Amino acid sequence: MVRYAKEHKQVTRQRIIEKAGQRFKQDGIDGSGISTLMSDAGLTNGAFYAHFTSKDDLVAHVVAGEMNTQLAQYGTRRPGREGLKDLVREYLSPEHRDHPGTGCPSAALLDEIGRCGDATKQAYTDGARNIIDELAVRLTPEDPQSARGTAIGLYSMMVGTLQLSRALSDRKLSDEVLEQGIRNAYAVLG
Protein backbone atom coordinates (compact mmCIF):
# COMPACT_ATOMS: atom_id res chain seq x y z
CA MET A 1 0.00 0.00 0.00
CA VAL A 2 1.29 3.42 -0.97
CA ARG A 3 1.36 6.05 1.79
CA TYR A 4 1.16 9.69 0.83
CA ALA A 5 2.54 12.65 2.72
CA LYS A 6 0.09 14.81 4.64
CA GLU A 7 0.68 17.60 2.11
CA HIS A 8 -0.52 15.32 -0.70
CA LYS A 9 -3.75 14.67 1.15
CA GLN A 10 -4.28 18.43 1.69
CA VAL A 11 -3.60 19.18 -2.00
CA THR A 12 -6.01 16.43 -3.05
CA ARG A 13 -8.68 17.65 -0.63
CA GLN A 14 -8.31 21.20 -1.97
CA ARG A 15 -8.63 19.94 -5.55
CA ILE A 16 -11.86 18.13 -4.63
CA ILE A 17 -13.24 21.30 -2.98
CA GLU A 18 -12.34 23.49 -5.98
CA LYS A 19 -13.74 21.10 -8.58
CA ALA A 20 -16.88 20.53 -6.50
CA GLY A 21 -17.34 24.30 -6.24
CA GLN A 22 -17.32 24.62 -10.01
CA ARG A 23 -19.66 21.66 -10.45
CA PHE A 24 -22.09 22.81 -7.73
CA LYS A 25 -22.32 26.29 -9.25
CA GLN A 26 -22.85 24.82 -12.71
CA ASP A 27 -25.22 21.93 -11.95
CA GLY A 28 -26.42 22.63 -8.41
CA ILE A 29 -25.68 20.79 -5.19
CA ASP A 30 -28.50 18.29 -5.66
CA GLY A 31 -27.53 17.81 -9.31
CA SER A 32 -23.97 16.78 -8.44
CA GLY A 33 -23.37 13.25 -7.22
CA ILE A 34 -20.27 12.06 -5.44
CA SER A 35 -19.15 9.96 -8.40
CA THR A 36 -19.27 13.00 -10.73
CA LEU A 37 -17.51 15.21 -8.19
CA MET A 38 -14.73 12.69 -7.66
CA SER A 39 -14.38 12.11 -11.40
CA ASP A 40 -13.99 15.87 -11.88
CA ALA A 41 -11.13 15.76 -9.37
CA GLY A 42 -9.55 12.80 -11.16
CA LEU A 43 -10.24 10.41 -8.27
CA THR A 44 -12.33 7.34 -7.55
CA ASN A 45 -15.47 7.29 -5.41
CA GLY A 46 -13.65 5.32 -2.74
CA ALA A 47 -11.27 8.19 -2.09
CA PHE A 48 -14.10 10.51 -1.09
CA TYR A 49 -14.43 9.28 2.49
CA ALA A 50 -10.72 9.71 3.13
CA HIS A 51 -11.38 13.45 2.85
CA PHE A 52 -14.99 14.07 3.93
CA THR A 53 -17.46 12.39 6.27
CA SER A 54 -20.42 13.01 3.95
CA LYS A 55 -21.58 15.03 1.00
CA ASP A 56 -22.96 17.56 3.49
CA ASP A 57 -19.46 17.91 4.96
CA LEU A 58 -18.07 18.56 1.48
CA VAL A 59 -20.81 21.09 0.71
CA ALA A 60 -20.02 23.08 3.86
CA HIS A 61 -16.31 23.17 2.96
CA VAL A 62 -17.08 24.13 -0.64
CA VAL A 63 -19.37 26.98 0.41
CA ALA A 64 -16.76 28.30 2.86
CA GLY A 65 -14.04 28.07 0.22
CA GLU A 66 -16.14 29.72 -2.49
CA MET A 67 -17.12 32.62 -0.23
CA ASN A 68 -13.49 33.11 0.84
CA THR A 69 -12.35 33.08 -2.79
CA GLN A 70 -14.97 35.67 -3.69
CA LEU A 71 -13.91 37.90 -0.79
CA ALA A 72 -10.24 37.60 -1.79
CA GLN A 73 -11.14 38.73 -5.33
CA TYR A 74 -12.85 41.82 -3.91
CA GLY A 75 -9.56 42.71 -2.25
CA THR A 76 -7.84 42.97 -5.65
CA ARG A 77 -10.05 45.87 -6.73
CA ARG A 78 -9.28 49.56 -6.66
CA PRO A 79 -10.03 51.05 -3.25
CA GLY A 80 -13.27 52.73 -2.26
CA ARG A 81 -16.36 53.36 -4.33
CA GLU A 82 -14.48 53.25 -7.64
CA GLY A 83 -13.51 49.67 -6.88
CA LEU A 84 -17.13 48.93 -6.00
CA LYS A 85 -18.29 50.34 -9.33
CA ASP A 86 -15.79 48.06 -11.09
CA LEU A 87 -17.11 45.14 -9.05
CA VAL A 88 -20.75 45.91 -9.90
CA ARG A 89 -20.01 46.17 -13.63
CA GLU A 90 -18.10 42.87 -13.64
CA TYR A 91 -20.59 41.09 -11.38
CA LEU A 92 -23.59 42.16 -13.46
CA SER A 93 -21.99 41.32 -16.77
CA PRO A 94 -23.23 38.93 -19.46
CA GLU A 95 -19.98 36.96 -19.00
CA HIS A 96 -20.72 36.35 -15.31
CA ARG A 97 -24.34 35.52 -16.10
CA ASP A 98 -23.31 33.01 -18.77
CA HIS A 99 -20.62 31.22 -16.73
CA PRO A 100 -22.07 30.32 -13.34
CA GLY A 101 -19.47 27.61 -12.74
CA THR A 102 -16.73 30.21 -12.38
CA GLY A 103 -18.79 32.91 -10.68
CA CYS A 104 -20.47 33.91 -7.47
CA PRO A 105 -21.63 31.08 -5.20
CA SER A 106 -24.53 33.18 -3.91
CA ALA A 107 -26.13 33.72 -7.30
CA ALA A 108 -25.64 30.08 -8.26
CA LEU A 109 -26.49 28.29 -5.02
CA LEU A 110 -28.54 30.50 -2.70
CA ASP A 111 -31.79 28.60 -3.08
CA GLU A 112 -30.08 25.28 -2.34
CA ILE A 113 -28.01 26.62 0.56
CA GLY A 114 -31.27 27.59 2.24
CA ARG A 115 -32.21 23.90 2.29
CA CYS A 116 -28.81 22.65 3.50
CA GLY A 117 -27.78 21.68 7.00
CA ASP A 118 -26.54 23.96 9.74
CA ALA A 119 -22.83 23.65 8.89
CA THR A 120 -23.39 24.83 5.32
CA LYS A 121 -25.69 27.64 6.40
CA GLN A 122 -23.09 28.74 8.95
CA ALA A 123 -20.32 28.66 6.34
CA TYR A 124 -22.48 30.77 4.05
CA THR A 125 -23.46 33.17 6.83
CA ASP A 126 -19.81 33.71 7.79
CA GLY A 127 -18.86 34.33 4.17
CA ALA A 128 -21.78 36.68 3.48
CA ARG A 129 -21.03 38.63 6.66
CA ASN A 130 -17.41 39.05 5.55
CA ILE A 131 -18.47 40.24 2.10
CA ILE A 132 -20.97 42.70 3.58
CA ASP A 133 -18.27 43.99 5.92
CA GLU A 134 -15.88 44.45 2.96
CA LEU A 135 -18.51 46.38 1.03
CA ALA A 136 -19.24 48.57 4.07
CA VAL A 137 -15.54 49.36 4.53
CA ARG A 138 -15.31 50.38 0.88
CA LEU A 139 -18.42 52.55 1.20
CA THR A 140 -17.37 54.37 4.37
CA PRO A 141 -13.83 53.50 5.47
CA GLU A 142 -13.94 55.84 8.46
CA ASP A 143 -17.19 54.32 9.82
CA PRO A 144 -18.11 51.02 8.13
CA GLN A 145 -20.90 50.31 10.62
CA SER A 146 -22.81 53.34 9.33
CA ALA A 147 -22.76 51.85 5.80
CA ARG A 148 -23.80 48.32 6.82
CA GLY A 149 -27.41 48.69 5.67
CA THR A 150 -26.32 50.08 2.32
CA ALA A 151 -23.81 47.24 1.95
CA ILE A 152 -26.52 44.65 2.65
CA GLY A 153 -28.80 46.32 0.10
CA LEU A 154 -26.05 46.49 -2.52
CA TYR A 155 -25.08 42.84 -2.07
CA SER A 156 -28.72 41.71 -2.15
CA MET A 157 -29.39 43.78 -5.26
CA MET A 158 -26.41 42.36 -7.10
CA VAL A 159 -27.16 38.72 -6.24
CA GLY A 160 -30.88 39.02 -7.01
CA THR A 161 -30.25 40.82 -10.30
CA LEU A 162 -27.82 38.15 -11.45
CA GLN A 163 -30.20 35.36 -10.44
CA LEU A 164 -33.08 36.97 -12.33
CA SER A 165 -30.96 37.56 -15.43
CA ARG A 166 -29.93 33.88 -15.46
CA ALA A 167 -33.53 32.70 -15.20
CA LEU A 168 -34.77 34.60 -18.26
CA SER A 169 -34.94 32.87 -21.65
CA ASP A 170 -35.18 36.22 -23.47
CA ARG A 171 -31.55 37.35 -23.90
CA LYS A 172 -32.54 40.94 -24.65
CA LEU A 173 -34.60 41.17 -21.45
CA SER A 174 -31.81 39.48 -19.50
CA ASP A 175 -29.31 42.05 -20.77
CA GLU A 176 -31.75 44.82 -19.88
CA VAL A 177 -32.06 43.46 -16.33
CA LEU A 178 -28.27 43.48 -15.96
CA GLU A 179 -27.94 47.04 -17.27
CA GLN A 180 -30.72 48.29 -15.00
CA GLY A 181 -29.11 46.49 -12.09
CA ILE A 182 -25.86 48.36 -12.78
CA ARG A 183 -27.71 51.69 -12.89
CA ASN A 184 -29.52 50.86 -9.64
CA ALA A 185 -26.30 49.84 -7.89
CA TYR A 186 -24.53 52.98 -9.10
CA ALA A 187 -27.39 55.06 -7.72
CA VAL A 188 -26.84 53.42 -4.32
CA LEU A 189 -23.10 54.08 -4.57
CA GLY A 190 -23.65 57.76 -5.42
Side-chain angles (χ1 to χ4, degrees):
M1 178 188 280
V2 177
R3 298 247 178 214
Y4 292 105
K6 186 175 182 176
E7 295 79 24
H8 175 78
K9 185 172 182 176
Q10 286 298 95
V11 168
T12 301
R13 178 184 171 89
Q14 189 58 39
R15 184 172 74 238
I16 296 167
I17 290 170
E18 288 172 7
K19 294 294 186 180
Q22 292 169 359
R23 177 65 69 171
F24 288 162
K25 291 185 296 183
Q26 186 65 46
D27 297 339
I29 295 168
D30 290 339
S32 305
I34 290 174
S35 62
T36 299
L37 298 171
M38 294 305 284
S39 176
D40 288 351
L43 300 165
T44 64
N45 291 0
F48 178 82
Y49 291 100
H51 299 280
F52 303 97
T53 59
S54 65
K55 184 178 176 186
D56 290 340
D57 181 34
L58 170 63
V59 171
H61 283 88
V62 166
V63 167
E66 288 290 325
M67 296 300 283
N68 288 334
T69 297
Q70 185 177 14
L71 182 63
Q73 291 170 351
Y74 288 7
T76 65
R77 307 246 180 256
R78 295 187 292 169
R81 290 176 187 261
E82 291 308 310
L84 285 177
K85 287 181 178 181
D86 296 343
L87 170 66
V88 166
R89 182 149 297 280
E90 183 179 310
Y91 191 95
L92 297 178
S93 69
E95 294 78 23
H96 190 198
R97 174 197 59 208
D98 297 343
H99 298 97
T102 58
C104 172
S106 296
L109 300 172
L110 205 53
D111 60 330
E112 288 186 275
I113 290 170
R115 293 188 299 272
C116 286
D118 291 343
T120 299
K121 286 181 184 178
Q122 188 61 55
Y124 183 77
T125 299
D126 293 343
R129 182 179 292 116
N130 291 337
I131 288 170
I132 290 165
D133 290 347
E134 172 70 18
L135 296 175
V137 165
R138 286 175 172 272
L139 285 164
T140 313
E142 64 282 354
D143 184 16
Q145 190 59 35
S146 70
R148 188 168 176 77
T150 302
I152 290 169
L154 179 62
Y155 188 56
S156 301
M157 183 186 317
M158 290 168 48
V159 171
T161 298
L162 188 59
Q163 287 179 312
L164 176 59
S165 73
R166 285 180 176 166
L168 297 170
S169 64
D170 180 332
R171 181 57 59 116
K172 184 177 177 186
L173 178 57
S174 179
D175 288 343
E176 186 179 353
V177 165
L178 291 175
E179 283 301 317
Q180 187 61 51
I182 291 168
R183 286 191 294 276
N184 292 345
Y186 280 12
V188 167
L189 292 174

